[in-house]
Amino acid sequence: MPLSKRKRLRDFLYDQGVDGALRGLINEIGEASKYISYAIDTTSLGYSGSVNVYGEKQLALDVLSDEIVSEKLGMCGIVKNMASEEQENINSAFLSEPGEYSVCFDPLDGSSLVDVNLAVGTIVSIYPGKQLVRPGREQVAALYVLYGPRTTMVVGLPSGVHEFSLDAVGSYTLSRPDIKMKDVGNIYSPGGSRNQYLPAHKDFIDSLLADNYKLRYSGGFVPDFNQVLMKGGGLFTYPALKNAPNGKLRLMFECNAMAFIVEVAGGAASNGKQRILDIEPESIEMRSPIYIGSKKEVARAEKMLAEQVSSD
Ligand code: F6P
Ligand code: MN
């Protein structure tokens, strides 16, 4: 199809009835992602010399990506409150703005994979009003950008999940409308060291292996989850571990956005006991185990984890 005939992100959102402010906000994130993509191609891969609130050394790219998103969201007049995985405090500098939305984001997830030239991503949760520390089910939209061989943006609206690809002239154009998952798949993407698995999780993973599930793990949440979503089934998990009882991934910056997207697409996301989107966050930096993908695998994980608890 000629470039000029493809549906651009802005027009698509308009046709879907998305309100002007939310359209503007999603477009701003799209703009930020173009600068991040350029930064990935050109910025030094060294450390910045700083450490984030989780004790992780920040790359120059982490800091730059955070600045790009923060600046775009701060200047657009649509955002009241924002929080970044790379910043210690919620940035409430815009509370007095007329903005209608608040945003949690991970500017460059999986950034340590850039030096080996694997895919990385930006993850964004959008909430109405000014409150940020709240359950993920209250999101009005969620999205992620995947910087891979192509740059794509997957947007989850309550009405559907859609993929847009960044084209040669710098526009996001619709590449896969209305993405849907099957109830069951055949790939699995298991985070965490196996020797740190808890017994029930180990049994669950072994049961997938016994059923011939194929391993698909790169170490980046965005590309690994994207693979499960786009293949239409399977499971990504980053479980509770012996040395990390709450797992690794952050509920508000990483899990909630993907949980929103997967549910709209017909899949499921759980911490092993309850729906991710129903977790009441204790703090903005809270971590959570996650089992996310098609419904049957997530239900199977919950069942096997519950059986272990009841037999203890
Ligand atoms: O932000 C955390 C992250 O980089 C995710 O993108 C990824 O899923 C996970 O860490 C990988 O962790 P590990 O190296 O322990 O498998
Ligand atoms: Mn991250």
Side-chain angles (χ1 to χ4, degrees):
M1 196 191 292
L3 280 181
S4 58
K5 290 258 188 293
R6 290 200 189 147
K7 193 137 229 184
R8 289 186 311 149
L9 174 64
R10 188 182 281 274
D11 303 332
F12 181 84
L13 295 176
Y14 181 85
D15 291 349
Q16 293 284 309
V18 176
D19 75 68
L22 186 54
R23 282 202 313 269
L25 176 49
I26 294 172
N27 262 295
E28 288 297 333
I29 297 161
E31 288 305 305
S33 71
K34 296 176 197 171
Y35 289 89
I36 294 176
S37 171
Y38 180 71
I40 292 168
D41 288 349
T42 55
T43 306
S44 115
L45 298 178
Y47 289 108
S48 64
S50 49
V51 172
N52 68 14
V53 63
Y54 308 96
E56 297 162 345
K57 283 188 187 169
Q58 288 175 305
L59 296 170
L61 255 180
D62 286 319
V63 174
L64 184 56
S65 304
D66 184 41
E67 283 169 5
I68 292 168
V69 180
S70 300
E71 192 183 304
K72 280 273 172 224
L73 295 185
M75 281 170 51
C76 68
I78 302 168
V79 173
K80 272 206 171 302
N81 234 343
M82 58 177 157
S84 164
E85 191 183 288
E86 297 300 337
Q87 287 178 36
E88 190 165 352
N89 298 311
I90 294 177
N91 182 347
S92 302
F94 310 98
L95 270 182
S96 57
E97 299 269 322
E100 289 167 44
Y101 295 102
S102 291
V103 181
C104 275
F105 60 93
D106 181 355
L108 198 60
D109 180 66
S111 52
S112 64
L113 296 173
V114 175
D115 69 347
V116 290
N117 208 13
L118 282 173
V120 294
T122 299
I123 308 173
V124 182
S125 287
I126 304 174
Y127 295 89
K130 64 179 182 190
Q131 198 197 329
L132 268 184
V133 186
R134 58 203 288 186
R137 62 171 181 266
E138 294 176 12
Q139 291 168 97
V140 290
L143 63 91
Y144 64 85
V145 179
L146 172 56
Y147 310 97
R150 298 174 178 204
T151 297
T152 53
M153 182 194 284
V154 173
V155 180
L157 303 168
S159 55
V161 174
H162 316 283
E163 182 200 62
F164 301 84
S165 297
L166 189 60
D167 67 22
V169 293
S171 293
Y172 276 105
T173 55
L174 186 64
S175 40
R176 289 191 214 205
D178 211 14
I179 295 161
K180 290 279 178 233
M181 298 192 72
K182 298 176 289 241
D183 283 345
V184 66
N186 63 358
I187 57 174
Y188 75 113
S189 193
S193 301
R194 192 174 166 89
N195 64 0
Q196 296 296 332
Y197 284 179
L198 295 165
H201 180 77
K202 182 177 173 300
D203 290 350
F204 167 62
I205 294 294
D206 287 346
S207 79
L208 296 180
L209 265 174
D211 283 351
N212 287 321
Y213 276 71
K214 282 187 282 187
L215 178 65
R216 291 286 184 267
Y217 190 72
S218 76
F221 184 34
V222 178
D224 287 337
F225 170 68
N226 185 70
Q227 180 159 199
V228 171
L229 181 69
M230 295 302 163
K231 297 292 182 198
L235 179 101
F236 173 94
T237 171
Y238 205 108
L241 298 170
K242 287 186 210 155
N243 62 354
N246 298 317
K248 178 177 187 191
L249 300 186
R250 276 126 302 208
L251 177 67
M252 306 247 12
F253 297 112
E254 294 164 320
C255 301
N256 272 340
M258 301 317 202
F260 182 90
I261 289 169
V262 88
E263 284 202 7
V264 173
S270 166
N271 66 358
K273 296 190 192 109
Q274 77 176 117
R275 187 181 173 224
I276 290 283
L277 294 179
D278 283 340
I279 299 174
E280 295 284 339
E282 291 151 12
S283 67
I284 194 106
E285 60 275 341
M286 180 178 173
R287 295 179 197 263
S288 173
I290 187 167
Y291 296 81
I292 183 167
S294 34
K295 277 185 176 157
K296 287 221 167 115
E297 285 84 350
V298 174
R300 179 166 167 178
E302 283 184 333
K303 185 164 176 275
M304 289 189 71
L305 266 54
E307 279 166 7
Q308 182 88 31
V309 171
S310 60
S311 70
D312 282 348

